[in-house]
Amino acid sequence: MKRLIVGSVALPLIAGPNDSLLGITLVGNKSGTALSVPMQIVLLLTILTLLPAIIMSVTPFLRIVVVLHFLRQALGTQTTPSNQVLVGLALFLSLVIIQPVAEQIYHQSWEPLDTGQIGASEAWDHASAPVHGFLLRFAREKDIRLFMELSHAPPPANPSGVPFSALVPAYVLSELKTAFQIGAILFLPFLIIDLLVASVTLSVGMVQLPPVMVSAPFKILLFVLVDGWNLVIGSLIRSFY
């Protein structure tokens, strides 16, 4: 094989099946060729870097965490519950909702790939189908059409033909709209309490304390009496079924 001599180092110009070009090549094994260990590490680190963004964007985590932040603002409790608590709650609720899709991916894609029945490309196709169906259920047609036009892609013949490049941002926009709608509904009863307390405090001339501080205990008491956490979390989970 031809080599390029740079100083005292000989670099291969053409990498064969078992050659290494900067440590990243295809190496031979019993089933053909596979990625070398350095390349596998690079891909794994890349996936791990993108994993938080994927979890926050293409799972129910997005809708849940936005609604929980709206709820905290409506209650006027500032930093209670803390961001860590809200994120942890949203994460575990997302796992509950996404569990059927994850099981479907495991049985249709990972198990056949692990036993050698299918290859990596077929495993990707089997895994992407449930994810595509899940995103398509909650992405609005208007948002999908917008990103299809922005990407200048031809219109698909059927919903299953919508590419991920248009489906994922459409899903994010749709979830943001849904979360803001739910947040606005959550704000209304607490806004009424704020207006009532503000009108009463101003009519009696109580200007020493801000109305928000006076109304906070009443909002928290109302939320506890109606078992607000149960209602909010139950409604959020049901909105995905």
Side-chain angles (χ1 to χ4, degrees), residues 196-219:
L196 291 176
V197 172
S199 62
V200 171
T201 55
L202 291 177
S203 63
V204 299
M206 184 185 298
V207 295
Q208 293 82 3
L209 293 176
V212 176
M213 184 177 297
V214 179
S215 63
F218 294 99
K219 292 190 290 185

Side-chain angles (χ1 to χ4, degrees), residues 54-77:
I54 295 174
I55 293 176
M56 289 187 295
S57 302
V58 297
T59 64
F61 180 90
L62 176 61
R63 181 191 302 187
I64 296 173
V65 76
V66 172
V67 171
L68 292 180
H69 277 282
F70 269 115
L71 176 61
R72 187 176 66 180
Q73 293 295 325
L75 287 173
T77 54

Side-chain angles (χ1 to χ4, degrees), residues 7-180:
S8 60
V9 180
L11 297 177
L13 291 177
I14 302 176
N18 296 318
D19 293 330
S20 175
L21 180 58
L22 301 179
I24 303 175
T25 61
L26 289 175
V27 296
N29 57 17
K30 296 180 180 179
S31 59
T33 59
L35 290 175
S36 61
V37 175
M39 190 59 181
Q40 294 178 14
I41 295 175
V42 171
L43 292 177
L44 179 60
L45 293 178
T46 303
I47 295 174
L48 291 178
T49 303
L50 297 177
L51 186 60
I54 295 174
I55 293 176
M56 289 187 295
S57 302
V58 297
T59 64
F61 180 90
L62 176 61
R63 181 191 302 187
I64 296 173
V65 76
V66 172
V67 171
L68 292 180
H69 277 282
F70 269 115
L71 176 61
R72 187 176 66 180
Q73 293 295 325
L75 287 173
T77 54
Q78 303 300 325
T79 58
T80 303
S82 63
N83 290 333
Q84 291 83 354
V85 174
L86 294 184
V87 170
L89 179 60
L91 180 60
F92 283 106
L93 292 178
S94 302
L95 293 177
V96 172
I97 298 171
I98 208 71
Q99 181 179 358
V101 179
E103 291 180 350
Q104 190 175 359
I105 294 174
Y106 177 79
H107 294 302
Q108 294 183 3
S109 176
W110 178 257
E111 283 186 343
L113 178 64
D114 191 35
T115 56
Q117 299 178 6
I118 60 176
S121 60
E122 295 179 353
W124 168 258
D125 294 336
H126 293 172
S128 60
V131 177
H132 190 280
F134 177 82
L135 299 180
L136 196 63
R137 285 174 53 195
F138 302 102
R140 297 183 304 164
E141 182 180 353
K142 180 179 180 181
D143 295 328
I144 296 177
R145 189 183 304 111
L146 169 65
F147 286 100
M148 292 294 294
E149 293 175 355
L150 292 177
S151 61
H152 302 286
N158 49 63
S160 60
V162 178
F164 277 102
S165 58
L167 183 58
V168 171
Y171 171 81
V172 174
L173 286 186
S174 301
E175 287 296 282
L176 285 176
K177 179 180 179 180
T178 303
F180 272 67

Side-chain angles (χ1 to χ4, degrees), residues 189-237:
F190 301 108
L191 178 61
I192 294 174
I193 295 178
D194 284 333
L195 293 175
L196 291 176
V197 172
S199 62
V200 171
T201 55
L202 291 177
S203 63
V204 299
M206 184 185 298
V207 295
Q208 293 82 3
L209 293 176
V212 176
M213 184 177 297
V214 179
S215 63
F218 294 99
K219 292 190 290 185
I220 296 174
L221 181 61
L222 173 64
F223 189 72
V224 172
L225 289 178
V226 300
D227 198 5
W229 286 112
N230 184 281
L231 293 176
V232 172
I233 300 303
S235 300
L236 273 176
I237 295 180

